[in-house]
Amino acid sequence: MTEEEHMREAIRLSVENVESGKGGPFGCVIVKDGRIIARGANEVTTTNDPTAHAEVVAIRGACKALGTFQLDGCEIYCSCEPCPMCLGAIYWARPKAIYFANTKSDAAAIDFDDQFIYEEIERPIAQRRLFTRQLLRDEALVAFEKWKTSPLKIAY
């Protein structure tokens, strides 16, 4: 399949998702060695899971299919430019490429506007809209110290 055919599948999933009433207009496919190994569509409202964006659903499926927590050598095709959460998940998954169709401006035009999240990330913690305060850092550092020296850790 070509890049365009993979993208058409992501777009098809997004359209199908709207027509079925299962969720938002977002679809994603993950490809390895030229074949689709996972598909995802937005499942936020059907699963009551705000993290169930098409990209996250597809990443979970691809990692399960490959038996790994990284998507080395994979390409991700998104029907829309990934939101901040999905972009973070994609970077953590470490694919070799991302392709997208609709832009974040296109999404904002239909009330999926993530610009406020990008702006919040740039603000100092005390100036963010969501109340945030650090607690018990010294106690929490114990886990980090144990991780640093653990012979059981798998780096990622």
Side-chain angles (χ1 to χ4, degrees), residues 37-49:
I37 60 167
R39 291 171 170 79
N42 182 282
E43 298 177 359
V44 170
T45 58
T46 54
T47 62
N48 294 320
D49 179 353

Side-chain angles (χ1 to χ4, degrees), residues 20 31 48 50 95 106 111 113 116 134 140 145 149:
S20 70
V31 174
N48 294 320
D106 296 329
D111 298 325
D113 191 356
F116 80 97
Q134 185 177 23
E145 290 300 321
T149 60

Side-chain angles (χ1 to χ4, degrees), residues 18 23 26 35 42 72 81 128 133 140 154:
V18 173
F26 305 99
R35 70 177 188 86
N42 182 282
D72 297 325
E81 186 175 358
R128 293 181 184 166
R133 183 176 67 175
I154 298 172

Side-chain angles (χ1 to χ4, degrees), residues 20 29-30 33 47 55 73 83 85 97 108 113-114 131 134 145 154:
S20 70
V29 297
I30 299 181
D33 299 327
T47 62
E55 296 88 343
C83 75
M85 176 185 70
D113 191 356
D114 301 321
F131 175 79
Q134 185 177 23
E145 290 300 321
I154 298 172

Side-chain angles (χ1 to χ4, degrees), residues 7-29 40-46 52-55 77-83 86 100-114:
M7 184 59 76
R8 284 188 184 100
E9 177 62 5
I11 294 167
R12 184 192 70 74
L13 290 167
S14 70
V15 171
E16 179 182 87
N17 213 44
V18 173
E19 291 175 345
S20 70
K22 291 182 179 176
F26 305 99
C28 179
V29 297
N42 182 282
E43 298 177 359
V44 170
T45 58
T46 54
H53 290 199
E55 296 88 343
Y77 293 82
C78 311
S79 67
C80 186
E81 186 175 358
C83 75
C86 292
F100 67 91
N102 292 320
T103 67
K104 61 184 177 182
S105 296
D106 296 329
I110 60 164
D111 298 325
F112 288 95
D113 191 356
D114 301 321

Side-chain angles (χ1 to χ4, degrees), residues 114-130:
D114 301 321
Q115 185 59 38
F116 80 97
I117 297 172
Y118 290 106
E119 292 168 4
E120 285 288 295
I121 291 168
E122 293 298 317
R123 287 189 172 124
I125 291 172
Q127 294 176 14
R128 293 181 184 166
R129 291 185 211 173
L130 181 62

